[in-house]
């Protein structure tokens, strides 16, 4: 299927883009429609604790996507930053039936969405090219957006986005053993 030069960007995409740019949402992810004629909304992420995993889950390893992110962090001088970020997702794992089709879709991730890319440029967004899930890690993104920060960045300020670290197996079973032990002693 030949890729059209400039897909239409839907009203919903523009509305969610503006919500992110104004800080009402943490992120919005956009992708091509099935017929590749429109850029449509894939999903949004509200501001809050433990939401970064939801953001990462919106990126499919077989499809290109774009995201608007209002990335919050703190500096050690007490400064609060909200960096507006564009993520261009063109995963290395994309595979199609022919090499020509694979190259075509990967190229589309970089070349398409002209009006949307223009809006990111106009609004001063930093641009992150992501090709692997590790590029979307909250601490990798923090490092990218704060690269030219004059003040020292407080890494712990983005930990709430990521949520609590996964518990070790021993920690998960320990609580259950103590609970069952207390029930049997009653």
């Amino acid at each position: 299927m030949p890729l059209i030069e400039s897909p239409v960007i839907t009203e919903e995409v523009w509305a969610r883009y503006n919500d992110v740019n104004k800080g009402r949402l943490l992120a919005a992810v956009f992708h091509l429609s099935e017929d590749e004629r429109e850029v449509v909304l894939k999903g949004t992420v509200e501001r809050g604790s433990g939401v970064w995993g939801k953001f990462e889950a919106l990126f499919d390893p077989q499809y290109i996507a774009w995201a608007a992110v209002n990335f919050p962090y703190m500096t050690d001088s007490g400064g609060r930053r909200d960096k507006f970020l564009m993520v261009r997702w063109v995963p290395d794992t994309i595979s199609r039936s022919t090499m020509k089709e694979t190259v075509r879709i990967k190229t589309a991730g970089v070349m398409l969405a002209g009006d949307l890319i223009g809006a990111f440029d106009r609004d001063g967004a930093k641009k992150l090219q992501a090709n692997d899930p590790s590029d979307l890690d909250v601490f990798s993104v923090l490092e990218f957006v704060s690269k030219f920060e004059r003040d020292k960045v407080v890494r712990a300020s983005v930990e709430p986005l990521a949520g609590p670290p996964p518990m070790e197996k021993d920690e998960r079973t320990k609580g259950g053993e103590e609970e069952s032990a207390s029930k049997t002693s009653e």
Side-chain angles (χ1 to χ4, degrees), residues 12-13 16-17 20 25-31 40-46 54-55 57-59 65-68:
E12 186 178 30
V13 166
R16 296 305 73 82
Y17 172 91
V20 173
L25 288 172
L26 176 72
V29 177
F30 318 113
H31 67 130
V40 296
L41 180 68
K42 177 146 189 197
T44 61
V45 180
E46 298 284 332
K54 181 179 177 190
F55 171 71
L58 290 170
F59 295 92
W66 303 269

Side-chain angles (χ1 to χ4, degrees), residues 92-106:
D92 294 333
T93 54
I94 287 178
S95 178
R96 296 293 186 264
S97 58
T98 66
M99 182 59 140
K100 183 177 181 180
E101 183 66 9
T102 300
V103 169
R104 182 188 71 78
I105 200 70
K106 283 185 175 186

Side-chain angles (χ1 to χ4, degrees), residues 104-137:
R104 182 188 71 78
I105 200 70
K106 283 185 175 186
T107 302
V110 176
M111 304 302 289
L112 284 181
D115 290 343
L116 188 59
I117 305 306
F120 279 111
D121 287 339
R122 180 191 68 232
D123 294 331
K126 292 192 64 105
K127 294 180 188 71
L128 172 65
Q129 175 72 42
N131 303 93
D132 181 82
S134 66
D135 296 332
L136 299 173
D137 174 74

Side-chain angles (χ1 to χ4, degrees), residues 73-88:
Y73 65 93
M74 301 286 291
T75 64
D76 65 351
S77 65
R80 176 175 165 73
R81 306 287 192 267
D82 283 294
K83 295 289 181 160
F84 189 49
L85 172 70
M86 175 199 141
V87 176
R88 182 181 287 137

Side-chain angles (χ1 to χ4, degrees), residues 126-154:
K126 292 192 64 105
K127 294 180 188 71
L128 172 65
Q129 175 72 42
N131 303 93
D132 181 82
S134 66
D135 296 332
L136 299 173
D137 174 74
V138 71
F139 298 109
S140 296
V141 174
L142 173 64
E143 186 177 322
F144 177 78
V145 299
S146 65
K147 185 174 183 175
F148 298 107
E149 184 67 56
R150 288 184 213 138
D151 295 336
K152 185 176 177 180
V153 173
V154 178

